[in-house]
Amino acid sequence: MEIKEALEKYKIIGDYFAPDYEKENEVLTEFRANNQNLSEQQTVELVNLLQSDIEISDKYFVADLLYLYDSFNRELFETLLITAIHYKDPSFNRIFLRPCLRVFGTKEVVDSLSDRFNQVNIIERIGISKLVYWLRIHENSNIDKLDHTILKRADQTSNLIELYHYKLRYGNKIKYGNNIPDNAEDLIKVIKGNKEYEELLFDKLGWTKNIQMLIENKGIKTDLFYVPPFTINAGEIITINLSNGAHFYETEMFLKDLFCGKAYHENVIIHKKMTFVEHFKESKFRDIFYPMTVGKYLKKNANPASLYTEKIYETEWINKKIKVNTLTGSPRRLLSLYTTLSNTNNIIFDLVGLGLDEAQETYKIVQEVIKEGGSAILLDGYDDMKNQCTKYIELQWTKA
């Protein structure tokens, strides 16, 4: 089997990112068995696929395949790093980075990125900064050289967009960090009218020029409660505190249906529907005779082209054959969350049934989605996330 045939079969199966989750992809395994070492011609073909902008799945194929090799040449190494640098999603740029780390080692990767950082333009510098998280957690790697290089640049530049991206990775280590916006919405507002910044952010980095309003609430009043007016835009996370009382569930379901566009209210304008992260439920009959497994659940509900589809397998003990009903607490909730995120980045969710640590973990995952232009509404019964959201709203009860 040669590269072209393997690529075609890989796309048909659609089992993307399997090696990243230590799962088997039959097409890649077969190719590896028949090609113990990559030939010069095969290397050229893989490099060409990484450099092509025809289909992103072509690049996924190369990254997934190289997870299976203990060695590949320097040209592939450098092309993989460049692909990782230019890949926009900081949650999944790791799939191009990890083969490099495994074959060449952390020091070689860090040295290469540090040297490159000092020679490239602002677009690539920002891209390199997005790799810091995955480098840092790789076997507790020491990446001081790259940290020092980026922080030195942060002290030298006055470019607000560049500093915004560095602040995302280094927080209060950035000098005068309080003067740098904390979220996408504020950054867009601050640079409005600055042609140089707008060209960089919208034309070169590909951000959406106009902040997209998803929902406009002019005030929701019922016999039981009142929800004050608010709007939610792309790049925002809103917490609505319903108070954890007797009417929590019915109120949550009422608001969920409104914001998902399944129910009508004259004071709620839906510009773009959001999706609720449903709780998994299964009948007693099905649980006994036809139990749903993790693999079947994902195949039925998740988008196979999304990296979130396989993300649940980052929990080492979870595999495709495990019954969903045996999952409790955080793992079950994360399965639903990742499945929903595989289809949309505009979500409504709750933290019901989770302890504080589990709730914080889930909330952080959603925050990462928000940073990249998603949006979320948390329907909660507490104020634990009050200081971590874009907007905090308390529902006002008119009757106990």
Side-chain angles (χ1 to χ4, degrees):
M1 188 190 307
E2 289 302 322
I3 296 290
K4 183 177 180 180
E5 181 184 357
L7 176 59
E8 290 174 352
K9 289 183 176 181
Y10 172 86
K11 290 180 178 179
I12 291 172
I13 292 176
D15 192 12
Y16 303 151
F17 327 119
D20 187 68
Y21 296 100
E22 299 181 355
K23 309 297 179 183
E24 182 181 11
N25 180 301
E26 295 177 1
V27 174
L28 301 179
T29 300
E30 181 183 351
F31 182 92
R32 176 68 174 84
N34 295 327
N35 299 271
Q36 294 298 312
N37 296 294
L38 293 169
S39 69
E40 185 176 337
Q41 177 58 35
Q42 288 169 336
T43 297
V44 169
E45 290 181 55
L46 293 176
V47 168
N48 288 339
L49 287 174
L50 287 173
Q51 293 176 337
S52 171
D53 290 323
I54 298 176
E55 290 187 45
I56 188 61
S57 56
D58 291 359
K59 301 179 191 291
Y60 294 159
F61 167 76
V62 179
D64 283 353
L65 180 62
L66 293 179
Y67 269 75
L68 306 187
Y69 281 87
D70 295 326
S71 66
F72 48 82
N73 74 7
R74 186 79 188 184
E75 184 179 12
L76 259 178
F77 167 78
E78 292 176 351
T79 311
L80 269 175
L81 281 186
I82 292 172
T83 306
I85 290 167
H86 286 276
Y87 192 73
K88 292 183 179 180
D89 189 340
S91 298
F92 296 109
N93 47 14
R94 68 173 191 265
I95 63 172
F96 304 104
L97 182 68
R98 284 180 170 171
C100 298
L101 289 167
R102 188 173 58 82
V103 172
F104 287 83
T106 302
K107 185 179 185 305
E108 187 69 26
V109 172
V110 169
D111 287 348
S112 180
L113 290 174
S114 299
D115 293 343
R116 187 176 186 85
F117 186 91
N118 289 321
Q119 302 170 18
V120 295
N121 60 29
I122 188 172
I123 306 298
E124 289 203 30
R125 289 197 298 271
I126 289 172
I128 290 172
S129 73
K130 291 181 179 181
L131 298 174
V132 165
Y133 174 79
W134 297 113
L135 287 166
R136 188 170 286 131
I137 68 171
H138 179 71
E139 298 178 353
N140 297 315
S141 298
N142 186 332
I143 63 166
D144 288 351
K145 181 178 180 179
L146 183 58
D147 287 337
H148 175 76
T149 302
I150 295 175
L151 290 171
K152 182 179 179 180
R153 170 64 188 175
D155 286 344
Q156 296 172 342
T157 185
S158 60
N159 187 292
L160 190 61
I161 294 172
E162 188 174 4
L163 287 168
Y164 169 80
H165 285 89
Y166 298 157
K167 183 179 178 180
L168 290 178
R169 313 303 160 203
Y170 293 98
N172 58 13
K173 291 184 180 180
I174 303 298
K175 189 180 294 185
Y176 309 120
N178 291 336
N179 298 324
I180 303 169
D182 292 314
N183 56 65
E185 180 187 15
D186 288 346
L187 179 63
I188 291 173
K189 288 179 179 178
V190 168
I191 70 164
K192 186 176 182 180
N194 186 313
K195 292 183 178 180
E196 179 184 350
Y197 280 164
E198 289 183 338
E199 180 183 358
L200 172 60
L201 194 64
F202 304 128
D203 298 341
K204 296 180 180 178
L205 290 174
W207 283 38
T208 302
K209 189 165 189 177
N210 296 314
I211 299 174
Q212 182 184 21
M213 183 184 294
L214 282 80
I215 295 174
E216 183 178 2
N217 162 40
K218 299 179 180 179
I220 303 168
K221 188 174 184 179
T222 73
D223 291 338
L224 289 176
F225 60 81
Y226 174 69
V227 180
F230 69 84
T231 60
I232 181 167
N233 305 311
E236 292 185 334
I237 181 168
I238 293 179
T239 296
I240 304 179
N241 185 353
L242 311 182
S243 298
N244 197 28
H247 300 291
F248 176 87
Y249 178 76
E250 62 186 79
T251 305
E252 178 189 21
M253 293 300 102
F254 173 80
L255 293 176
K256 177 262 292 186
D257 286 342
L258 280 184
F259 301 145
C260 289
K262 295 181 179 180
Y264 171 78
H265 192 284
E266 60 182 1
N267 283 350
V268 178
I269 301 172
I270 307 294
H271 298 286
K272 189 171 184 178
K273 295 179 182 178
M274 303 184 78
T275 301
F276 183 63
V277 180
E278 299 284 355
H279 290 257
F280 176 81
K281 295 179 180 179
E282 189 169 58
S283 69
K284 187 72 174 178
F285 176 83
R286 184 177 179 89
D287 181 34
I288 296 173
F289 296 103
Y290 306 102
M292 178 71 75
T293 63
V294 171
K296 289 180 181 177
Y297 178 85
L298 291 171
K299 186 174 182 180
K300 179 181 179 181
N301 299 293
N303 174 10
S306 171
L307 288 151
Y308 282 106
T309 299
E310 300 286 322
K311 195 167 175 61
I312 191 64
Y313 298 127
E314 289 183 4
T315 303
E316 293 182 2
W317 56 270
I318 294 181
N319 59 58
K320 294 180 180 180
K321 295 181 180 180
I322 284 185
K323 298 174 185 178
V324 178
N325 260 339
T326 65
L327 302 177
T328 59
S330 182
R332 184 188 286 206
R333 204 71 191 107
L334 288 179
L335 176 64
S336 299
L337 176 62
Y338 291 144
T339 300
T340 306
L341 289 174
S342 77
N343 293 295
T344 180
N345 62 352
N346 301 309
I347 66 169
I348 300 170
F349 71 111
D350 62 34
L351 301 171
V352 173
L354 300 179
L356 182 58
D357 289 343
E358 294 174 324
Q360 290 284 0
E361 176 191 4
T362 301
Y363 195 82
K364 285 179 181 178
I365 292 169
V366 176
Q367 283 180 310
E368 289 301 313
V369 176
I370 304 310
K371 288 178 182 178
E372 299 304 314
S375 60
I377 296 176
L378 169 61
L379 300 175
D380 205 10
Y382 305 93
D383 63 358
D384 298 325
M385 309 303 172
K386 181 176 182 178
N387 298 320
Q388 300 180 47
C389 56
T390 313
K391 300 173 184 174
Y392 175 78
I393 296 158
E394 287 192 354
L395 179 143
Q396 300 169 14
W397 292 99
T398 54
K399 288 185 180 181

